[in-house]
Amino acid sequence: GNITFTVTGTSEAPEITVSGGRDFGTVCFDEGPAPEQTLTVCNGAGVNDLSVDAELVGAGCGDFAIEGNPFPADLSPDFCVPITVQYTPTGVGDHNACDLVITSNDPDETEISIPASGSTPAQVIDVNPDLSFLPEVIQSVDACSSERPFPIQNNGSCPLGIQEVVISTNNAEYSLSGLPSVPVDILPGELFGDGDLRVVFA
């Protein structure tokens, strides 16, 4: 005859965990290699594989990129995979309109959205708006000239690139002394040419 019996068992579902940094803080233009934040995606429980996919979603994702996206991939139990996000700002300001969206077959968390954020400050140059000289003896009468300091300072929080400094009008009467080689970057708080740049009136 037939014998009927009941078979039971449990199969613990995979459990996704995500850890790691996501805020890039302040990043300047042309500061070298793109800064990176690495997050770790793990299958933390169960006996089943965790199927994972990841992408960047949002209007501001032009400032962020996934380096060598390792997903989609299946993660066996107690196995982890790193995912690296790069921040390459395309403009100044706060950039926070992009999310790293991680989807999986974890029944409790099928989608995890992680904001990516960074900020790029504008460069700030400080130059005297006006420069005036006292009257001088005309050159045809006697050789005479005077000079005034012309400080150019980086008042921002990022390096400032100086491409060129020229006298654009009346360059027969005005000239520059102490002009360093350009182009050059000056660091925050620094003076162009260590403050030795002067305008000469002759």
Side-chain angles (χ1 to χ4, degrees), residues 50-123:
L50 178 73
S51 298
V52 180
D53 203 354
E55 63 178 335
L56 293 172
V57 177
C61 288
D63 300 296
F64 301 92
I66 299 174
E67 181 185 14
N69 193 348
F71 300 113
D74 292 335
L75 280 62
S76 57
D78 297 322
F79 188 73
C80 300
V81 171
I83 181 170
T84 300
V85 179
Q86 293 179 327
Y87 176 43
T88 307
T90 58
V92 299
D94 295 327
H95 302 121
N96 49 25
C98 183
D99 294 326
L100 174 63
V101 177
I102 300 173
T103 56
S104 74
N105 62 338
D106 179 338
D108 300 322
E109 295 180 283
T110 57
E111 181 175 292
I112 298 175
S113 184
I114 301 170
S117 62
S119 180
T120 299
Q123 286 136 335

Side-chain angles (χ1 to χ4, degrees), residues 22-167:
R22 61 200 70 175
D23 184 0
F24 289 86
T26 300
V27 175
C28 300
F29 279 121
D30 302 325
E31 201 175 36
E36 300 177 342
Q37 292 282 359
T38 299
L39 297 90
T40 303
V41 182
C42 298
N43 181 2
V47 295
N48 295 317
D49 286 351
L50 178 73
S51 298
V52 180
D53 203 354
E55 63 178 335
L56 293 172
V57 177
C61 288
D63 300 296
F64 301 92
I66 299 174
E67 181 185 14
N69 193 348
F71 300 113
D74 292 335
L75 280 62
S76 57
D78 297 322
F79 188 73
C80 300
V81 171
I83 181 170
T84 300
V85 179
Q86 293 179 327
Y87 176 43
T88 307
T90 58
V92 299
D94 295 327
H95 302 121
N96 49 25
C98 183
D99 294 326
L100 174 63
V101 177
I102 300 173
T103 56
S104 74
N105 62 338
D106 179 338
D108 300 322
E109 295 180 283
T110 57
E111 181 175 292
I112 298 175
S113 184
I114 301 170
S117 62
S119 180
T120 299
Q123 286 136 335
V124 182
I125 188 171
D126 182 48
V127 180
N128 288 341
D130 297 304
L131 197 63
S132 60
F133 292 84
L134 295 174
E136 297 290 349
V137 175
I138 298 173
Q139 288 285 342
S140 60
V141 176
D142 195 4
C144 186
S145 67
S146 61
E147 57 183 51
R148 297 285 305 277
F150 190 65
I152 299 175
Q153 187 168 17
N154 180 357
N155 277 358
S157 56
C158 289
L160 175 68
I162 304 293
Q163 303 301 317
E164 189 177 28
V165 179
V166 297
I167 301 292

